[in-house]
């Protein structure tokens, strides 16, 4: 079977067979298929989509390309959460300790930044010493001992995804339903979790810009999970403006710690508590969402979630003093405010362009091998619906270079001040 014929079939809108999909995945992993053919296949898939059967076959082939973790030695129902990616979306970082503080094991496998979106692993690496790459045995041991771990897909989990993910990022083929669904679900099935809540983002800062596309992605993800017997559900949450105030690696860790102290903005706190409540219900601890939410809130007020976060950081080699001293993380040289040019109400904050601005400051990658500057990013002071007077700071740019005129232009072009604003809905719907 020649790869060029498989590309040709997909390019012309044909439905690939199981064998053809297997040939593609095997060739990617062995290195027999060169990057230019993989890229062509990804672009053909981007434009021609895949049927449900193809999506499942691609997921399973990617999942079987590596190891399948056996988490059976960890007691209890293991619950994980995954996001399809957003701007300022640091949800996993406070969520895992909140749920783990309730005695529910959280073996979380996360990813790096993709396109304009940040990645949980990149953010955690802003903490001095934090190791995201640990062996499977250590991952399991840590979940047994501490109740949680947030790591990268260890050594051989879905190796096909590692190669495809990196190529998608640089060939502009990220925002494709079959490619996102197979990427997420291959890793989640291989990671052996019992239950999974997926946070599908929708809006300008998400890969899926419309509610219809987000719903289709959510259904694809949940369908694949249920197809292999996983207890799986999705929520569709808003990404029309950044989540919380912080965008950038160290800034987002600080905001996550603030959340665990009960001091974070309302939107990110609400989303974390909602996702946490679903995870608690899926663990079987209660069947009441209201009770689950109270339990999650309790871990913040009694300090147990913050302690759990410190335990996780220490177990993964990080400096737990970050909890009280976030200034041990890299700090930006310059903090530059962006004053409002006119008075009014903030009516639009383009989340994707805020993500691009943070990336251009050095907080994200433009090329796959770019080194990150953990200190830089943006702190929003005003969000959609907030009143502003001319001269009020809309946000602060955290930068290691003094001249940020290019970033200011980009930000001004993507924040709108009008007479009034349409309120944004944080959580649109659930898909089961
Ligand atoms: N997260 C993933 O793991 N893969 C994607 O394709 C998008 C978000």
């Amino acid at each position: 079977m020649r790869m060029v014929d498989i590309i040709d079939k997909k390019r012309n809108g044909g439905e690939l067979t199981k064998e053809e999909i297997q040939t593609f995945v095997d060739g990617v992993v062995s290195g027999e298929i060169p990057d230019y053919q993989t890229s062509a296949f990804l672009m053909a898939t981007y434009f021609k989509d895949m049927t449900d059967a193809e999506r499942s076959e691609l997921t399973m082939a990617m999942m079987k390309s590596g190891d399948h973790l056996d988490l059976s030695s960890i007691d209890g129902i293991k619950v994980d959460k995954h996001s399809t990616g957003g701007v300022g979306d640091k949800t996993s970082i406070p969520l895992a300790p909140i749920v783990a503080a309730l005695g529910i094991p959280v073996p979380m496998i996360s990813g790096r930044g993709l396109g304009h979106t940040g990645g949980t692993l990149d953010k955690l690496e802003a903490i001095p010493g934090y190791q995201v790459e640990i062996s499977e045995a250590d991952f399991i041991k840590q979940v047994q001992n501490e109740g949680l771990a947030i790591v990268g897909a260890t050594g051989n989990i879905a190796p096909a995804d590692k190669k495809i993910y990196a190529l998608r990022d640089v060939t502009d083929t990220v925002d494709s339903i079959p490619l996102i669904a197979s990427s997420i679900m291959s890793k989640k099935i291989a990671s052996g979790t019992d239950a999974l809540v997926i946070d599908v983002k929708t809006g300008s800062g998400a890969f899926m810009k419309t509610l219809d596309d987000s719903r289709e992605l959510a259904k694809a993800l949940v369908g694949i999970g249920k197809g292999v017997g996983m207890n799986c559900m999705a929520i569709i949450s808003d990404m029309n403006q950044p989540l919380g105030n912080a965008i950038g690696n160290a800034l987002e860790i600080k905001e996550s710690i603030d959340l665990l102290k009960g001091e974070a903005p309302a939107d990110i706190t609400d989303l974390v508590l909602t996702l946490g409540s679903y995870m608690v219900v899926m663990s079987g601890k209660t069947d009441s969402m209201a009770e689950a939410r109270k339990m999650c809130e309790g871990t913040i007020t009694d300090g147990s979630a913050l302690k759990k976060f410190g335990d996780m950081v220490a177990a993964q080699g990080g400096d737990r003093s970050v909890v009280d001293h976030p200034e041990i993380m890299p700090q930006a040289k310059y903090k530059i405010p962006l004053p409002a040019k006119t008075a009014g109400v903030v009516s639009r904050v383009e989340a994707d362009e805020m993500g691009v601005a943070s990336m251009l400051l050095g907080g994200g990658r433009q090329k796959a091998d770019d080194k990150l500057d953990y200190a830089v990013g943006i702190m929003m002071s005003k969000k959609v619906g907030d009143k502003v007077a001319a001269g009020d700071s809309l946000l602060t740019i955290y930068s290691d270079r003094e001249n940020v005129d290019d970033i200011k232009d980009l930000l001004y072009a993507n924040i709108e001040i009008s007479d009034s604003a349409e309120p944004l809905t944080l959580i649109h719907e659930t898909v089961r």
Side-chain angles (χ1 to χ4, degrees), residues 82-85 114 165 168 179-180 183-184 187 207:
H82 199 86
S83 157
T84 58
L114 193 61
Y165 199 91
R168 283 167 59 209
L179 298 181
I180 296 177
S183 165
I184 293 179
K187 287 178 294 212
F207 295 128

Side-chain angles (χ1 to χ4, degrees), residues 82-86 109-112 114 117 161 165 168 173-188 207 217:
H82 199 86
S83 157
T84 58
I109 296 196
S110 295
R112 296 200 176 272
L114 193 61
T117 68
D161 181 60
Y165 199 91
R168 283 167 59 209
T173 50
V174 171
D175 48 340
S176 149
I177 290 174
L179 298 181
I180 296 177
S182 56
S183 165
I184 293 179
M185 295 311 292
S186 61
K187 287 178 294 212
K188 292 295 145 181
F207 295 128
L217 174 59

Side-chain angles (χ1 to χ4, degrees), residues 33 65 75 79 90 128 142-143 163 191 204 259 268 292 338 362 406 408-409:
I33 297 176
S65 71
D75 290 338
V79 186
K90 70 280 298 170
Q142 187 179 319
V143 181
K163 287 200 171 181
S191 77
S204 67
L259 195 150
I268 176 82
L338 188 79
D406 55 331
K408 284 184 170 179
D409 290 346

Side-chain angles (χ1 to χ4, degrees), residues 42 114 160-171 174 368:
L42 295 174
L114 193 61
D161 181 60
K162 281 215 180 83
K163 287 200 171 181
I164 293 173
Y165 199 91
L167 274 180
R168 283 167 59 209
D169 199 18
V170 291
T171 55
V174 171

